[in-house]
Amino acid sequence: MITAAAAGVASVVAAPAAGAAQSDGSGRPARAGTWTTSWATAQTSPTAADTVAAAGLTDGVATATLRLSAGGRVRLRYGNAFGAVPVLVGPVRAAGRAVTFAGRRQAWLAAGASLTSDPVDGLYVPEASALTVETRLPGPTGPLSFHRNTHASHTVDGVRTTSVFLLTGVEVTGAHGPVVAVLGDSLAEGVGTPDDADLRWPDQLARRLPGSAVANLGVSGNRLLLDDDRFGPGGQARFDRDVLSLPGLRTVLVQLGVNDLQQPPGLTDASLVLDGYRQLVLRARSAGLRIVGATITPFEGWIRWTPELDEVRRRINHTVRTGRLFDGVADFDTALRDPTRPSRLLPAFDSGDGLHPDPSGHAALAAAVDRRHLL
């Protein structure tokens, strides 16, 4: 392994004293140095259409600009969930400062594994700030695990992309509000909002809750039950890797189900989706987490909507609201539906396709999450 030479000096931002009080996200005092996830993304495997990720990089540089939720000291997390070979990572810079792994500027990220950096020396970030991370991959890497569309601008070798490669998390020490993971689909990922606007509903939720740490694990097209070559493992299959691996987590909010209904083969048995929810509830509670469930939003006007599927959606939502499945409910259906025609989005919230809300609809979703359910 080649260790890179030290890079140029950047301005130092003073970090809190070692004994400074931190929080575990619940509002209770925690040990100094408690780490929580401030930004996160869920990975999928590239398809042939994902040319950069499928081909991999050789001496390439991937730069990601990430909107954080909580602030504090910083360390980075990389993942190679779908990789077949180890990948050499580094040198890496965060906010212009050198990032190390066990004191070294480079480290091997094993196939199927994750890699966590040392705390970045001298770097302390405010909450809701943007952090730029520059990762050199000497390669050849082979196909790269990645998140296809973050609805934000990044670069690979100077060329704009909305994808993030290998980087899966930014962890911080300063959360003093709820610490939440959102296990979601395209609504959480941000479809219906403009790129680089940070108007996804998890972003807007974080702004409603100062000091909170919100990990957005939304994947467009993702289902609760079934896997897909393009849209990745379903919520049940990725729960342990994407959710339970997060440090300092207190609550998981599940926003999945509409794709189980509308993507072929569409489910017409509400009990299958409800049983899938129950399994996530058991696994979350076994890990000591609270779990909040979101009702499924209307989608009349979407290309695969039918009255039969809408009836299945209504049956699922009725049980979620009244069946005491979850520790709390975020009633996204009520937040977005047209009261005069409950099978569709309120026109003022519709981004134009009948399924995805616009930024004002995303704001309504964030407002539908009760802070008391997150603690």
Side-chain angles (χ1 to χ4, degrees), residues 74-244:
V74 172
R75 68 185 185 189
L76 307 180
R77 187 175 187 179
Y78 291 83
N80 193 13
F82 302 96
V85 297
V87 177
L88 184 60
V89 175
V92 176
R93 300 186 70 81
R97 301 194 62 76
V99 177
T100 59
F101 305 87
R104 298 178 181 270
R105 294 291 305 277
Q106 293 180 306
W108 286 98
L109 171 57
S114 64
L115 173 69
T116 302
S117 78
D118 304 326
V120 181
D121 187 31
L123 180 60
Y124 185 88
V125 294
E127 64 182 64
S129 60
L131 177 70
T132 298
V133 177
E134 181 182 282
T135 304
R136 181 170 292 277
L137 300 173
T141 63
L144 291 167
S145 303
F146 79 134
H147 187 99
R148 182 172 291 107
N149 189 358
T150 64
H151 298 276
S153 296
H154 319 290
T155 63
V156 174
D157 292 336
V159 178
R160 182 185 182 273
T161 178
T162 58
S163 300
V164 170
F165 303 88
L166 296 184
L167 185 64
T168 60
V170 177
E171 300 169 0
V172 301
T173 57
H176 54 85
V179 182
V180 184
V182 176
L183 185 70
D185 53 32
S186 56
L187 270 68
E189 189 189 66
V191 174
T193 68
D195 290 353
D196 302 315
D198 301 317
L199 292 175
R200 317 162 195 86
W201 72 259
D203 296 322
Q204 301 199 53
L205 175 64
R207 288 195 288 272
R208 284 186 55 233
L209 306 172
S212 63
V214 179
N216 186 345
L217 306 174
V219 176
S220 185
N222 201 230
R223 291 179 281 203
L224 173 67
L225 301 176
L226 298 181
D227 301 344
D228 186 273
D229 288 343
R230 181 166 178 79
F231 303 131
Q236 285 199 350
R238 66 187 180 99
F239 188 78
D240 290 8
R241 179 184 65 245
D242 289 350
V243 175
L244 297 186

Side-chain angles (χ1 to χ4, degrees), residues 311-332:
E311 179 56 32
V312 177
R313 182 186 70 87
R314 293 182 191 223
R315 289 201 298 270
I316 294 169
N317 285 349
H318 175 75
T319 302
V320 168
R321 289 188 185 101
T322 64
R324 299 181 182 273
L325 285 178
F326 297 98
D327 297 316
V329 175
D331 198 345
F332 285 2

